C-alpha cells in the first residue's frame, strides 16, 4: 500500500475487481463507518468486509473504475463506475460518487452516493 491518499483510494477501488473482500481489509480503519445512500450505516471493518463478501457472492462480475478523483488533505471524493453483472446478465455501469475520510492512513469513513432505484433497474437489465 501507498502513503498518498490519492493512491490509497485508487488502489482500494481496484481491489474490488478481485471480488475478494479480504483484499479490502488493509485499506479500512478498524472503526470504519460505511454508508451507502439509502441503507443503514455499517460500522467496523469486519462488518464492512462481511457486507462486501455478500455482494461479491451475488455478482458474477465486478468491475470498479475511477473516473475523476479529488483530494483535499484527508478527504477524497471520487466519481466512480461500479460495473456489476449478475450471473447470465451483462455488466451494468452504475455511476457512483464516493467520499472517503482518511485517518492514520486508512479509510475511517466512507459514503457512497448512488441512485439505488436506477442502479437496481440497470443491474436487472
Amino acid at each position: 500500500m501507498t502513503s498518498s491518499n490519492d493512491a490509497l483510494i485508487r488502489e482500494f477501488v481496484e481491489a474490488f475487481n478481485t471480488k475478494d473482500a479480504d483484499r479490502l481489509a488493509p485499506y479500512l480503519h478498524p472503526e470504519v463507518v460505511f454508508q451507502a445512500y439509502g441503507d443503514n450505516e455499517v460500522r467496523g471493518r469486519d462488518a464492512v468486509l462481511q457486507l462486501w463478501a455478500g455482494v461479491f457472492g451475488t455478482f458474477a462480475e465486478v468491475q470498479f473504475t475511477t473516473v475523476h478523483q479529488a483530494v483535499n488533505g484527508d478527504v477524497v471524493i471520487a466519481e466512480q463506475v461500479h460495473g456489476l453483472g449478475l450471473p447470465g446478465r451483462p455488466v451494468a455501469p452504475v455511476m457512483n460518487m464516493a467520499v472517503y475520510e482518511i485517518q492514520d492512513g486508512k479509510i475511517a469513513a466512507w459514503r457512497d452516493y448512488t441512485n439505488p432505484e436506477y442502479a437496481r433497474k440497470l443491474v436487472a437489465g
Side-chain angles (χ1 to χ4, degrees):
M1 278 191 341
T2 183
S3 61
S4 155
N5 289 340
D6 181 72
L8 174 84
I9 298 305
R10 289 182 188 279
E11 289 175 12
F12 177 66
V13 172
E14 278 292 315
F16 281 84
N17 299 329
T18 68
K19 288 184 56 182
D20 179 357
D22 291 337
R23 295 279 306 270
L24 307 178
Y27 300 94
L28 300 173
H29 190 280
E31 305 296 321
V32 64
V33 177
F34 172 63
Q35 175 73 53
Y37 178 74
D39 293 333
N40 293 326
E41 283 185 353
V42 178
R43 294 183 165 273
R45 180 173 42 217
D46 291 342
V48 170
L49 296 176
Q50 182 178 7
L51 170 83
W52 282 100
V55 171
F56 295 151
T58 299
F59 290 96
E61 291 193 54
V62 175
Q63 303 169 1
F64 283 18
T65 58
T66 299
V67 179
H68 297 100
Q69 187 162 289
V71 180
N72 184 6
D74 287 335
V75 176
V76 179
I77 300 172
E79 178 185 10
Q80 302 164 340
V81 177
H82 293 178
L84 299 168
L86 290 168
R89 301 225 185 232
V91 174
V94 178
M95 294 301 297
N96 184 69
M97 184 65 72
V99 178
Y100 303 94
E101 295 177 30
I102 312 301
Q103 179 182 334
D104 301 326
K106 307 236 184 228
I107 299 166
W110 165 23
R111 295 178 295 281
D112 269 356
Y113 299 96
T114 296
N115 179 328
E117 190 59 35
Y118 186 66
R120 278 190 282 281
K121 287 179 187 176
L122 282 175
V123 169

